[in-house]
Amino acid sequence: MVKTCCVYKCRNVFNADARSRGVSFFRFPKDKRKRRVWVKAVNRDKWEPGDHSWICSDHFLHGWHGEDPSDDNYGPTLFQYKVTRSEEDLIREKRRLDRESIKEKHDVEVLLKERETASHQFSLLAHGSYCRAEEASDDNDEDLCAITTDTTDDVNIHLTCDSGMQCEDDPLLLENRELRQEISRLREELGRHKWGVERIKDNDGMTKFYTGLPSFAIFLWLFNYLAPKCSRMTYWRGQGQTTASDRVRMSSSYLSPIDQFFAVLMRLKVGLFIQDIAERFQISSASFSMIFTTWISLLHAELKFLNPFPSKDIINRTMPQSFKVKYPSTRVIIDCTELFIQTSSSILNQSLTFSNYKHHTTVKYLVGISPSGVITFVSEGWPGKTSDRHLTENCGLISLLEPGNANQFSTDDVYRTQEIAQLRIHVERSIGRVKNFHVLEGVVPLSIVPLINKIFQVCCWLTNLDLPLVDGKKPTSEDS
Protein backbone atom coordinates (compact mmCIF):
# COMPACT_ATOMS: atom_id res chain seq x y z
CA MET A 1 0.00 0.00 0.00
CA VAL A 2 1.29 3.45 -0.95
CA LYS A 3 2.27 5.62 1.98
CA THR A 4 0.33 8.87 2.05
CA CYS A 5 0.17 11.58 4.70
CA CYS A 6 -3.11 11.61 6.61
CA VAL A 7 -3.01 15.37 7.37
CA TYR A 8 -5.72 17.49 5.77
CA LYS A 9 -4.58 19.17 2.48
CA CYS A 10 -1.17 17.47 2.66
CA ARG A 11 -0.42 15.73 -0.67
CA ASN A 12 2.90 14.10 0.21
CA VAL A 13 3.24 10.56 -1.06
CA PHE A 14 6.12 8.18 -0.49
CA ASN A 15 7.77 8.33 -3.93
CA ALA A 16 10.95 9.48 -5.62
CA ASP A 17 9.98 13.15 -5.33
CA ALA A 18 9.44 12.85 -1.59
CA ARG A 19 12.74 11.02 -1.17
CA SER A 20 14.53 13.71 -3.14
CA ARG A 21 13.11 16.37 -0.80
CA GLY A 22 14.10 14.31 2.24
CA VAL A 23 10.50 13.72 3.38
CA SER A 24 10.07 10.85 5.84
CA PHE A 25 6.87 9.07 6.90
CA PHE A 26 6.10 8.00 10.47
CA ARG A 27 3.56 5.58 11.82
CA PHE A 28 1.39 6.72 14.72
CA PRO A 29 3.12 5.78 18.00
CA LYS A 30 1.86 2.91 20.15
CA ASP A 31 2.39 4.92 23.34
CA LYS A 32 -1.15 5.95 24.32
CA ARG A 33 -0.26 9.43 25.53
CA LYS A 34 1.84 10.31 22.50
CA ARG A 35 -0.72 8.76 20.17
CA ARG A 36 -3.48 10.97 21.66
CA VAL A 37 -1.32 14.08 21.09
CA TRP A 38 -0.81 13.17 17.44
CA VAL A 39 -4.50 12.37 16.83
CA LYS A 40 -5.56 15.63 18.47
CA ALA A 41 -3.07 17.61 16.36
CA VAL A 42 -4.35 16.03 13.12
CA ASN A 43 -7.83 17.19 14.16
CA ARG A 44 -9.96 14.98 11.93
CA ASP A 45 -13.58 14.53 13.01
CA LYS A 46 -14.48 11.02 14.26
CA TRP A 47 -11.26 9.52 12.98
CA GLU A 48 -8.87 7.05 14.53
CA PRO A 49 -5.51 6.07 12.95
CA GLY A 50 -5.03 2.51 11.73
CA ASP A 51 -2.05 0.31 10.98
CA HIS A 52 -1.59 2.02 7.62
CA SER A 53 -1.97 5.62 8.80
CA TRP A 54 1.13 7.75 8.21
CA ILE A 55 2.16 11.31 8.84
CA CYS A 56 5.04 12.98 7.02
CA SER A 57 8.00 14.84 8.48
CA ASP A 58 6.87 18.17 7.00
CA HIS A 59 4.57 18.56 10.02
CA PHE A 60 7.32 18.26 12.64
CA LEU A 61 9.90 20.79 13.71
CA HIS A 62 13.33 19.78 12.37
CA GLY A 63 11.63 16.94 10.47
CA TRP A 64 11.64 14.53 13.38
CA HIS A 65 9.60 13.77 16.50
CA GLY A 66 10.97 13.59 20.00
CA GLU A 67 10.12 11.49 23.06
CA ASP A 68 10.04 14.29 25.65
CA PRO A 69 6.46 15.63 26.14
CA SER A 70 7.89 19.08 26.89
CA ASP A 71 9.61 19.33 23.47
CA ASP A 72 7.95 21.25 20.67
CA ASN A 73 8.52 18.32 18.31
CA TYR A 74 6.78 15.79 20.59
CA GLY A 75 3.84 15.93 18.17
CA PRO A 76 3.05 17.45 14.78
CA THR A 77 2.73 21.22 14.93
CA LEU A 78 3.17 22.44 11.33
CA PHE A 79 0.06 22.50 9.17
CA GLN A 80 -0.42 24.46 5.95
CA TYR A 81 -4.16 24.89 6.41
CA LYS A 82 -3.61 26.66 9.73
CA VAL A 83 -2.86 30.29 8.94
CA THR A 84 -0.62 32.01 11.45
CA ARG A 85 -2.04 35.40 12.33
CA SER A 86 -0.08 38.38 13.49
CA GLU A 87 -0.66 40.11 16.83
CA GLU A 88 -2.09 43.14 15.03
CA ASP A 89 -4.65 40.92 13.29
CA LEU A 90 -5.66 39.40 16.62
CA ILE A 91 -6.14 42.86 18.19
CA ARG A 92 -8.19 43.99 15.21
CA GLU A 93 -10.31 40.84 15.42
CA LYS A 94 -10.89 41.40 19.13
CA ARG A 95 -12.10 44.96 18.52
CA ARG A 96 -14.45 43.70 15.84
CA LEU A 97 -15.87 41.03 18.15
CA ASP A 98 -16.36 43.60 20.93
CA ARG A 99 -18.29 45.89 18.58
CA GLU A 100 -20.47 42.99 17.46
CA SER A 101 -21.08 41.96 21.07
CA ILE A 102 -22.14 45.51 22.05
CA LYS A 103 -24.41 45.77 19.02
CA GLU A 104 -25.92 42.36 19.69
CA LYS A 105 -26.53 43.27 23.33
CA HIS A 106 -28.22 46.51 22.29
CA ASP A 107 -30.37 44.69 19.75
CA VAL A 108 -31.41 42.17 22.39
CA GLU A 109 -32.38 44.94 24.83
CA VAL A 110 -34.43 46.68 22.16
CA LEU A 111 -36.09 43.41 21.19
CA LEU A 112 -36.90 42.57 24.81
CA LYS A 113 -38.35 46.02 25.37
CA GLU A 114 -40.48 45.71 22.23
CA ARG A 115 -41.65 42.27 23.30
CA GLU A 116 -42.48 43.49 26.79
CA THR A 117 -44.51 46.37 25.37
CA ALA A 118 -46.26 44.09 22.92
CA SER A 119 -46.88 41.49 25.64
CA HIS A 120 -48.37 44.11 27.94
CA GLN A 121 -50.64 45.43 25.20
CA PHE A 122 -51.65 41.91 24.24
CA SER A 123 -52.34 41.02 27.87
CA LEU A 124 -54.58 44.04 28.24
CA LEU A 125 -56.43 42.89 25.17
CA ALA A 126 -56.44 39.15 25.92
CA HIS A 127 -57.27 39.48 29.62
CA GLY A 128 -59.73 42.27 29.06
CA SER A 129 -63.40 41.66 28.83
CA TYR A 130 -64.97 40.59 25.62
CA CYS A 131 -68.25 42.00 26.62
CA ARG A 132 -71.66 42.08 25.21
CA ALA A 133 -74.39 44.31 26.42
CA GLU A 134 -77.06 42.68 28.52
CA GLU A 135 -79.57 45.33 27.57
CA ALA A 136 -79.10 47.51 24.54
CA SER A 137 -80.52 50.85 25.41
CA ASP A 138 -79.71 54.41 24.52
CA ASP A 139 -80.72 55.58 27.96
CA ASN A 140 -77.96 53.85 29.95
CA ASP A 141 -74.90 54.75 27.85
CA GLU A 142 -73.38 56.67 30.73
CA ASP A 143 -73.79 53.68 33.08
CA LEU A 144 -71.92 51.44 30.64
CA CYS A 145 -68.88 53.68 30.84
CA ALA A 146 -68.28 53.08 34.53
CA ILE A 147 -65.05 51.11 34.73
CA THR A 148 -63.89 48.89 37.55
CA THR A 149 -60.45 47.33 37.81
CA ASP A 150 -59.19 44.21 39.45
CA THR A 151 -55.60 43.16 39.85
CA THR A 152 -54.48 39.55 39.60
CA ASP A 153 -51.16 37.99 40.40
CA ASP A 154 -50.48 37.14 36.76
CA VAL A 155 -47.65 39.56 35.85
CA ASN A 156 -49.48 42.45 37.53
CA ILE A 157 -52.09 42.61 34.76
CA HIS A 158 -55.07 44.85 35.41
CA LEU A 159 -58.37 43.35 34.34
CA THR A 160 -60.91 45.83 33.13
CA CYS A 161 -64.58 45.16 33.07
CA ASP A 162 -67.52 47.37 32.33
CA SER A 163 -70.24 47.41 34.97
CA GLY A 164 -73.43 46.48 33.29
CA MET A 165 -71.63 44.12 30.87
CA GLN A 166 -71.36 40.33 31.15
CA CYS A 167 -67.66 39.32 30.92
CA GLU A 168 -66.41 35.96 29.80
CA ASP A 169 -63.60 34.44 31.89
CA ASP A 170 -60.31 34.19 30.06
CA PRO A 171 -59.34 30.52 29.42
CA LEU A 172 -55.72 31.14 30.48
CA LEU A 173 -56.79 32.59 33.81
CA LEU A 174 -59.17 29.70 34.38
CA GLU A 175 -56.42 27.18 33.65
CA ASN A 176 -53.97 29.03 35.91
CA ARG A 177 -56.50 29.07 38.74
CA GLU A 178 -57.21 25.36 38.34
CA LEU A 179 -53.49 24.52 38.35
CA ARG A 180 -52.95 26.53 41.54
CA GLN A 181 -55.82 24.71 43.20
CA GLU A 182 -54.37 21.37 42.08
CA ILE A 183 -50.94 22.27 43.48
CA SER A 184 -52.51 23.30 46.79
CA ARG A 185 -54.48 20.07 46.96
CA LEU A 186 -51.39 17.94 46.21
CA ARG A 187 -49.40 19.75 48.89
CA GLU A 188 -52.12 19.10 51.45
CA GLU A 189 -52.25 15.44 50.42
CA LEU A 190 -48.46 15.16 50.68
CA GLY A 191 -48.61 16.70 54.15
CA ARG A 192 -51.16 14.11 55.23
CA HIS A 193 -48.97 11.23 54.08
CA LYS A 194 -45.60 12.56 55.26
CA TRP A 195 -44.93 12.17 58.94
CA GLY A 196 -43.61 14.96 61.12
CA VAL A 197 -43.88 16.49 64.54
CA GLU A 198 -47.30 17.89 63.52
CA ARG A 199 -48.68 14.40 64.16
CA ILE A 200 -48.29 14.85 67.92
CA LYS A 201 -48.50 18.62 68.20
CA ASP A 202 -50.57 19.67 71.23
CA ASN A 203 -51.74 16.06 71.71
CA ASP A 204 -50.39 14.52 74.92
CA GLY A 205 -51.94 11.14 74.21
CA MET A 206 -50.26 10.79 70.83
CA THR A 207 -47.02 12.13 72.30
CA LYS A 208 -47.08 9.48 75.02
CA PHE A 209 -47.82 6.71 72.53
CA TYR A 210 -45.17 7.58 69.94
CA THR A 211 -42.36 9.00 72.11
CA GLY A 212 -42.85 7.70 75.66
CA LEU A 213 -42.77 11.26 76.98
CA PRO A 214 -45.77 12.27 79.12
CA SER A 215 -46.73 15.42 77.18
CA PHE A 216 -45.94 17.49 74.12
CA ALA A 217 -44.61 20.24 76.40
CA ILE A 218 -41.98 17.84 77.79
CA PHE A 219 -41.12 16.82 74.20
CA LEU A 220 -40.52 20.47 73.24
CA TRP A 221 -38.56 21.14 76.43
CA LEU A 222 -36.20 18.24 75.75
CA PHE A 223 -35.74 19.18 72.10
CA ASN A 224 -35.04 22.82 72.96
CA TYR A 225 -32.41 21.62 75.42
CA LEU A 226 -30.78 19.47 72.72
CA ALA A 227 -31.18 21.93 69.81
CA PRO A 228 -27.91 23.89 70.34
CA LYS A 229 -25.98 20.60 70.48
CA CYS A 230 -27.65 18.93 67.52
CA SER A 231 -26.83 21.90 65.28
CA ARG A 232 -23.12 21.18 65.85
CA MET A 233 -23.07 17.39 66.00
CA THR A 234 -21.17 15.20 63.55
CA TYR A 235 -23.39 12.70 61.76
CA TRP A 236 -22.23 9.10 61.89
CA ARG A 237 -21.28 7.78 58.43
CA GLY A 238 -19.89 4.35 59.20
CA GLN A 239 -16.95 2.85 61.02
CA GLY A 240 -13.72 4.63 60.12
CA GLN A 241 -15.44 7.22 57.90
CA THR A 242 -16.52 9.79 60.50
CA THR A 243 -13.92 12.18 61.88
CA ALA A 244 -14.15 15.19 64.11
CA SER A 245 -13.71 17.50 61.11
CA ASP A 246 -16.14 15.59 58.90
CA ARG A 247 -19.44 17.31 59.67
CA VAL A 248 -22.42 16.23 57.62
CA ARG A 249 -24.66 19.24 57.02
CA MET A 250 -28.31 18.75 56.20
CA SER A 251 -29.68 19.86 52.84
CA SER A 252 -32.95 21.72 52.50
CA SER A 253 -34.70 18.49 51.47
CA TYR A 254 -33.51 16.72 54.59
CA LEU A 255 -35.55 16.16 57.75
CA SER A 256 -35.59 19.09 60.12
CA PRO A 257 -33.88 18.46 63.48
CA ILE A 258 -37.17 18.27 65.39
CA ASP A 259 -38.52 15.69 62.92
CA GLN A 260 -35.29 13.70 63.30
CA PHE A 261 -35.75 13.76 67.06
CA PHE A 262 -39.36 12.63 66.69
CA ALA A 263 -38.39 9.80 64.32
CA VAL A 264 -35.69 8.53 66.72
CA LEU A 265 -38.10 8.51 69.68
CA MET A 266 -40.66 6.67 67.51
CA ARG A 267 -38.05 4.01 66.78
CA LEU A 268 -37.37 3.61 70.51
CA LYS A 269 -40.95 3.72 71.79
CA VAL A 270 -42.98 2.00 69.08
CA GLY A 271 -40.18 -0.27 67.86
CA LEU A 272 -40.88 0.33 64.17
CA PHE A 273 -38.54 -1.09 61.55
CA ILE A 274 -36.08 1.27 59.88
CA GLN A 275 -37.73 0.79 56.47
CA ASP A 276 -41.13 1.64 57.95
CA ILE A 277 -39.91 4.89 59.53
CA ALA A 278 -37.97 5.82 56.39
CA GLU A 279 -41.12 5.51 54.29
CA ARG A 280 -43.22 7.45 56.81
CA PHE A 281 -40.78 10.37 56.80
CA GLN A 282 -39.98 9.96 53.08
CA ILE A 283 -36.23 9.48 53.43
CA SER A 284 -33.92 6.59 52.59
CA SER A 285 -33.23 3.78 55.04
CA ALA A 286 -29.52 4.64 55.00
CA SER A 287 -30.29 8.24 55.95
CA PHE A 288 -32.43 7.19 58.90
CA SER A 289 -29.77 4.73 60.09
CA MET A 290 -27.28 7.61 60.10
CA ILE A 291 -29.76 9.85 61.94
CA PHE A 292 -30.66 7.17 64.51
CA THR A 293 -27.06 6.30 65.38
CA THR A 294 -26.09 9.97 65.69
CA TRP A 295 -29.07 10.99 67.82
CA ILE A 296 -28.71 7.99 70.15
CA SER A 297 -25.14 9.09 70.87
CA LEU A 298 -26.29 12.67 71.48
CA LEU A 299 -29.17 11.60 73.74
CA HIS A 300 -26.88 9.28 75.69
CA ALA A 301 -24.31 12.00 76.33
CA GLU A 302 -26.84 14.68 77.31
CA LEU A 303 -29.25 12.53 79.36
CA LYS A 304 -26.34 11.01 81.25
CA PHE A 305 -25.36 14.54 82.24
CA LEU A 306 -28.94 15.25 83.37
CA ASN A 307 -29.19 12.04 85.44
CA PRO A 308 -26.18 11.87 87.78
CA PHE A 309 -26.12 9.53 90.75
CA PRO A 310 -27.76 11.61 93.53
CA SER A 311 -26.18 12.36 96.86
CA LYS A 312 -27.55 10.99 100.12
CA ASP A 313 -28.92 14.41 101.04
CA ILE A 314 -31.03 14.52 97.86
CA ILE A 315 -32.30 10.99 98.50
CA ASN A 316 -33.40 11.93 102.04
CA ARG A 317 -35.12 15.15 100.91
CA THR A 318 -37.10 13.39 98.14
CA MET A 319 -37.86 10.17 100.02
CA PRO A 320 -41.60 9.28 100.07
CA GLN A 321 -43.33 9.00 103.40
CA SER A 322 -43.81 5.24 102.99
CA PHE A 323 -40.03 4.81 103.06
CA LYS A 324 -39.35 7.37 105.78
CA VAL A 325 -41.57 5.53 108.24
CA LYS A 326 -40.13 2.05 107.81
CA TYR A 327 -36.86 2.25 105.81
CA PRO A 328 -35.34 5.72 106.28
CA SER A 329 -31.80 4.54 105.53
CA THR A 330 -32.63 3.27 102.03
CA ARG A 331 -30.03 4.55 99.53
CA VAL A 332 -30.80 2.69 96.31
CA ILE A 333 -32.97 -0.27 95.31
CA ILE A 334 -31.31 -2.54 92.76
CA ASP A 335 -32.34 -5.36 90.52
CA CYS A 336 -30.94 -7.08 87.44
CA THR A 337 -32.72 -7.38 84.12
CA GLU A 338 -31.87 -9.15 80.88
CA LEU A 339 -32.57 -8.44 77.20
CA PHE A 340 -32.74 -11.18 74.60
CA ILE A 341 -30.21 -10.75 71.81
CA GLN A 342 -29.81 -12.60 68.54
CA THR A 343 -27.55 -15.64 68.80
CA SER A 344 -24.08 -15.01 67.41
CA SER A 345 -22.42 -17.42 65.00
CA SER A 346 -19.35 -17.38 67.26
CA ILE A 347 -19.27 -20.33 69.66
CA LEU A 348 -17.32 -18.25 72.18
CA ASN A 349 -19.88 -15.44 72.14
CA GLN A 350 -22.68 -17.96 72.48
CA SER A 351 -21.11 -19.46 75.59
CA LEU A 352 -20.55 -16.02 77.16
CA THR A 353 -24.03 -14.63 76.48
CA PHE A 354 -26.16 -17.71 77.11
CA SER A 355 -28.30 -17.27 80.23
CA ASN A 356 -29.23 -20.42 82.12
CA TYR A 357 -32.07 -18.48 83.73
CA LYS A 358 -33.59 -17.23 80.47
CA HIS A 359 -32.41 -20.20 78.34
CA HIS A 360 -31.37 -17.75 75.64
CA THR A 361 -28.48 -15.50 74.72
CA THR A 362 -28.93 -12.27 76.67
CA VAL A 363 -27.24 -9.07 77.82
CA LYS A 364 -27.65 -8.26 81.51
CA TYR A 365 -27.97 -4.88 83.25
CA LEU A 366 -28.11 -3.74 86.86
CA VAL A 367 -30.70 -1.01 87.41
CA GLY A 368 -30.93 1.06 90.56
CA ILE A 369 -33.78 3.38 91.57
CA SER A 370 -34.15 5.87 94.37
CA PRO A 371 -36.95 5.49 96.95
CA SER A 372 -38.92 8.09 94.96
CA GLY A 373 -38.88 5.80 91.91
CA VAL A 374 -36.30 7.67 89.79
CA ILE A 375 -33.74 5.53 87.97
CA THR A 376 -30.42 6.67 89.41
CA PHE A 377 -28.04 4.00 88.15
CA VAL A 378 -27.82 1.91 84.96
CA SER A 379 -24.82 -0.33 84.51
CA GLU A 380 -23.12 -1.19 81.24
CA GLY A 381 -24.27 -4.37 79.55
CA TRP A 382 -22.74 -7.64 80.74
CA PRO A 383 -22.91 -11.08 79.09
CA GLY A 384 -25.95 -13.10 80.14
CA LYS A 385 -23.73 -15.72 81.77
CA THR A 386 -22.63 -13.21 84.44
CA SER A 387 -24.08 -13.80 87.88
CA ASP A 388 -26.04 -11.09 89.68
CA ARG A 389 -23.50 -11.03 92.52
CA HIS A 390 -20.52 -10.58 90.19
CA LEU A 391 -22.34 -7.87 88.25
CA THR A 392 -23.26 -5.97 91.43
CA GLU A 393 -19.71 -6.10 92.77
CA ASN A 394 -18.04 -4.99 89.54
CA CYS A 395 -20.47 -2.63 87.80
CA GLY A 396 -19.25 0.44 89.71
CA LEU A 397 -22.31 1.05 91.90
CA ILE A 398 -20.57 0.32 95.20
CA SER A 399 -17.91 2.94 94.50
CA LEU A 400 -20.66 5.58 94.24
CA LEU A 401 -22.00 4.90 97.73
CA GLU A 402 -20.75 6.72 100.77
CA PRO A 403 -19.08 4.69 103.53
CA GLY A 404 -21.68 2.76 105.50
CA ASN A 405 -24.26 2.77 102.68
CA ALA A 406 -23.28 -0.50 101.03
CA ASN A 407 -25.46 -2.66 103.22
CA GLN A 408 -27.72 -5.03 101.31
CA PHE A 409 -30.87 -6.92 102.28
CA SER A 410 -30.26 -10.55 103.11
CA THR A 411 -32.47 -13.27 101.71
CA ASP A 412 -34.21 -13.58 105.08
CA ASP A 413 -34.83 -9.82 105.17
CA VAL A 414 -36.38 -9.84 101.70
CA TYR A 415 -38.97 -12.46 102.57
CA ARG A 416 -39.47 -11.53 106.22
CA THR A 417 -42.45 -9.26 105.70
CA GLN A 418 -44.87 -8.46 102.93
CA GLU A 419 -44.16 -4.75 103.33
CA ILE A 420 -40.55 -5.13 102.20
CA ALA A 421 -41.63 -7.12 99.16
CA GLN A 422 -44.16 -4.45 98.24
CA LEU A 423 -41.52 -1.72 98.36
CA ARG A 424 -38.96 -3.72 96.42
CA ILE A 425 -41.50 -4.19 93.67
CA HIS A 426 -40.99 -0.54 92.68
CA VAL A 427 -37.75 -1.34 90.88
CA GLU A 428 -39.52 -3.99 88.84
CA ARG A 429 -42.23 -1.48 87.98
CA SER A 430 -39.54 0.97 86.92
CA ILE A 431 -37.86 -1.63 84.70
CA GLY A 432 -41.32 -2.43 83.30
CA ARG A 433 -41.60 1.21 82.22
CA VAL A 434 -38.28 0.90 80.43
CA LYS A 435 -39.39 -2.20 78.59
CA ASN A 436 -42.44 -0.33 77.31
CA PHE A 437 -39.95 1.01 74.78
CA HIS A 438 -40.62 -1.67 72.19
CA VAL A 439 -37.21 -1.42 70.55
CA LEU A 440 -36.12 -3.61 73.49
CA GLU A 441 -38.97 -6.06 72.95
CA GLY A 442 -38.38 -9.57 71.64
CA VAL A 443 -34.94 -10.52 70.38
CA VAL A 444 -32.60 -7.60 69.71
CA PRO A 445 -30.92 -8.11 66.30
CA LEU A 446 -27.15 -8.19 66.08
CA SER A 447 -27.23 -5.11 63.84
CA ILE A 448 -28.01 -2.85 66.81
CA VAL A 449 -26.17 -4.79 69.51
CA PRO A 450 -23.21 -2.35 69.27
CA LEU A 451 -25.66 0.40 70.31
CA ILE A 452 -27.65 -1.65 72.84
CA ASN A 453 -25.95 -0.11 75.91
CA LYS A 454 -26.71 3.44 74.79
CA ILE A 455 -30.25 2.50 73.71
CA PHE A 456 -31.08 0.82 77.02
CA GLN A 457 -29.62 3.63 79.11
CA VAL A 458 -31.40 6.30 77.03
CA CYS A 459 -34.71 4.47 77.50
CA CYS A 460 -34.09 4.32 81.26
CA TRP A 461 -33.33 8.03 81.51
CA LEU A 462 -36.33 8.95 79.34
CA THR A 463 -38.62 7.25 81.85
CA ASN A 464 -37.37 9.71 84.49
CA LEU A 465 -39.26 12.41 82.57
CA ASP A 466 -42.52 10.53 83.09
CA LEU A 467 -44.93 10.97 86.00
CA PRO A 468 -43.57 9.92 89.43
CA LEU A 469 -43.56 6.18 89.98
CA VAL A 470 -43.94 6.45 93.77
CA ASP A 471 -46.13 9.16 95.28
CA GLY A 472 -45.25 10.96 98.44
CA LYS A 473 -48.48 10.27 100.31
CA LYS A 474 -48.43 9.05 103.86
CA PRO A 475 -49.04 5.31 104.24
CA THR A 476 -52.62 4.31 104.96
CA SER A 477 -53.88 1.44 107.03
CA GLU A 478 -53.99 -0.66 103.88
CA ASP A 479 -50.28 -0.01 103.20
CA SER A 480 -49.13 -0.80 106.74
Side-chain angles (χ1 to χ4, degrees):
M1 179 176 289
V2 179
K3 298 179 182 179
T4 58
C5 183
C6 65
V7 175
Y8 176 64
K9 287 189 176 181
C10 182
R11 303 184 182 279
N12 286 339
V13 181
F14 185 71
N15 52 23
D17 179 61
R19 286 195 296 271
S20 65
R21 292 187 290 111
V23 177
S24 303
F25 288 80
F26 310 119
R27 290 181 184 273
F28 278 75
K30 295 187 179 297
D31 180 71
K32 293 183 179 180
R33 179 180 179 183
K34 191 173 183 181
R35 188 182 184 91
R36 284 196 302 269
V37 173
W38 285 30
V39 173
K40 184 176 181 180
V42 172
N43 195 25
R44 291 178 61 177
D45 187 32
K46 298 179 181 180
W47 176 82
E48 287 291 334
D51 295 337
H52 301 288
S53 299
W54 303 81
I55 185 169
C56 67
S57 58
D58 284 352
H59 306 292
F60 294 88
L61 294 174
H62 314 299
W64 190 254
H65 59 89
E67 299 298 332
D68 187 358
S70 62
D71 289 345
D72 292 336
N73 63 343
Y74 183 68
T77 55
L78 305 177
F79 301 96
Q80 293 180 357
Y81 67 89
K82 293 184 178 180
V83 179
T84 304
R85 306 178 67 179
S86 64
E87 184 176 355
E88 183 179 354
D89 292 337
L90 294 176
I91 294 175
R92 188 181 299 108
E93 178 68 16
K94 183 177 182 300
R95 290 200 299 266
R96 185 183 66 82
L97 292 176
D98 290 342
R99 289 195 300 271
E100 291 181 356
S101 176
I102 294 173
K103 184 177 181 300
E104 182 179 356
K105 183 178 180 181
H106 179 264
D107 293 342
V108 169
E109 291 177 353
V110 172
L111 180 60
L112 289 176
K113 188 174 182 179
E114 291 176 353
R115 286 182 177 178
E116 183 178 358
T117 303
S119 176
H120 182 69
Q121 294 175 352
F122 177 78
S123 296
L124 288 176
L125 178 63
H127 294 276
S129 54
Y130 292 90
C131 304
R132 55 186 177 84
E134 291 182 343
E135 297 178 0
S137 174
D138 296 336
D139 298 332
N140 57 359
D141 288 342
E142 294 182 358
D143 296 337
L144 298 179
C145 297
I147 304 298
T148 60
T149 61
D150 183 21
T151 304
T152 70
D153 58 353
D154 189 5
V155 202
N156 295 326
I157 299 301
H158 293 275
L159 297 182
T160 61
C161 135
D162 297 339
S163 62
M165 293 291 186
Q166 181 177 356
C167 303
E168 297 178 358
D169 290 332
D170 181 66
L172 295 177
L173 288 179
L174 290 175
E175 183 180 2
N176 182 275
R177 190 179 302 115
E178 291 174 357
L179 290 176
R180 288 177 182 274
Q181 292 174 355
E182 180 70 12
I183 291 173
S184 178
R185 184 185 64 80
L186 291 175
R187 284 177 176 172
E188 291 178 0
E189 184 176 353
L190 179 62
R192 288 195 299 268
H193 287 85
K194 183 178 180 180
W195 279 67
V197 74
E198 292 79 10
R199 293 272 180 170
I200 62 172
K201 185 177 180 180
D202 300 326
N203 190 327
D204 293 347
M206 296 290 283
T207 302
K208 177 69 174 177
F209 178 79
Y210 283 110
T211 68
L213 299 176
S215 66
F216 187 69
I218 297 296
F219 174 86
L220 288 181
W221 173 85
L222 183 57
F223 174 75
N224 290 332
Y225 172 78
L226 298 172
K229 288 85 173 176
C230 75
S231 63
R232 303 191 305 270
M233 65 185 176
T234 302
Y235 279 75
W236 184 85
R237 302 185 67 182
Q239 188 69 24
Q241 297 185 10
T242 304
T243 61
S245 60
D246 183 19
R247 295 189 180 275
V248 181
R249 297 302 181 188
M250 294 175 293
S251 65
S252 59
S253 60
Y254 220 50
L255 279 182
S256 63
I258 193 169
D259 285 340
Q260 294 183 35
F261 180 51
F262 177 45
V264 170
L265 292 185
M266 279 184 60
R267 168 85 166 131
L268 295 177
K269 179 59 172 66
V270 190
L272 299 177
F273 291 115
I274 289 178
Q275 182 67 31
D276 187 358
I277 296 182
E279 290 184 0
R280 289 172 187 253
F281 288 85
Q282 298 182 8
I283 58 175
S284 67
S285 299
S287 296
F288 179 71
S289 295
M290 178 183 71
I291 291 170
F292 182 75
T293 303
T294 305
W295 272 89
I296 284 296
S297 299
L298 175 65
L299 285 168
H300 182 267
E302 296 301 325
L303 292 178
K304 184 177 182 179
F305 175 77
L306 293 177
N307 292 270
F309 190 75
S311 64
K312 186 175 181 180
D313 178 63
I314 294 177
I315 294 295
N316 291 335
R317 286 192 286 113
T318 59
M319 184 176 294
Q321 192 65 29
S322 58
F323 277 85
K324 287 182 178 180
V325 172
K326 299 180 180 180
Y327 315 106
S329 61
T330 303
R331 186 71 168 84
V332 62
I333 309 170
I334 61 174
D335 194 12
C336 289
T337 186
E338 297 180 68
L339 302 178
F340 288 176
I341 59 173
Q342 185 179 353
T343 303
S344 170
S345 59
S346 169
I347 301 299
L348 177 61
N349 289 339
Q350 290 182 25
S351 64
L352 290 175
T353 58
F354 186 81
S355 171
N356 292 323
Y357 178 67
K358 296 291 186 179
H359 302 289
H360 199 281
T361 51
T362 64
V363 58
K364 181 179 289 188
Y365 295 92
L366 179 72
V367 179
I369 71 168
S370 67
S372 59
V374 176
I375 295 180
T376 58
F377 180 82
V378 186
S379 72
E380 296 294 319
W382 287 68
K385 187 179 180 179
T386 307
S387 66
D388 292 357
R389 180 185 181 90
H390 180 80
L391 175 55
T392 304
E393 292 175 346
N394 296 274
C395 67
L397 173 63
I398 297 178
S399 62
L400 298 174
L401 301 176
E402 294 84 354
N405 292 148
N407 298 325
Q408 301 180 19
F409 288 126
S410 65
T411 303
D412 294 336
D413 291 334
V414 171
Y415 294 104
R416 182 175 303 166
T417 63
Q418 184 65 26
E419 289 83 357
I420 296 178
Q422 289 177 350
L423 295 178
R424 285 177 59 85
I425 205 66
H426 292 319
V427 69
E428 296 181 6
R429 292 173 56 200
S430 181
I431 293 174
R433 275 188 173 184
V434 175
K435 292 190 175 180
N436 282 333
F437 286 84
H438 295 289
V439 71
L440 306 174
E441 192 176 47
V443 179
V444 177
L446 290 176
S447 59
I448 64 172
V449 164
L451 289 173
I452 192 61
N453 284 344
K454 292 183 178 179
I455 291 175
F456 183 76
Q457 291 174 344
V458 165
C459 292
C460 289
W461 292 326
L462 286 175
T463 60
N464 286 343
L465 299 175
D466 206 340
L467 299 176
L469 184 66
V470 180
D471 59 34
K473 296 179 180 179
K474 294 183 179 181
T476 62
S477 58
E478 295 179 356
D479 296 330
S480 58

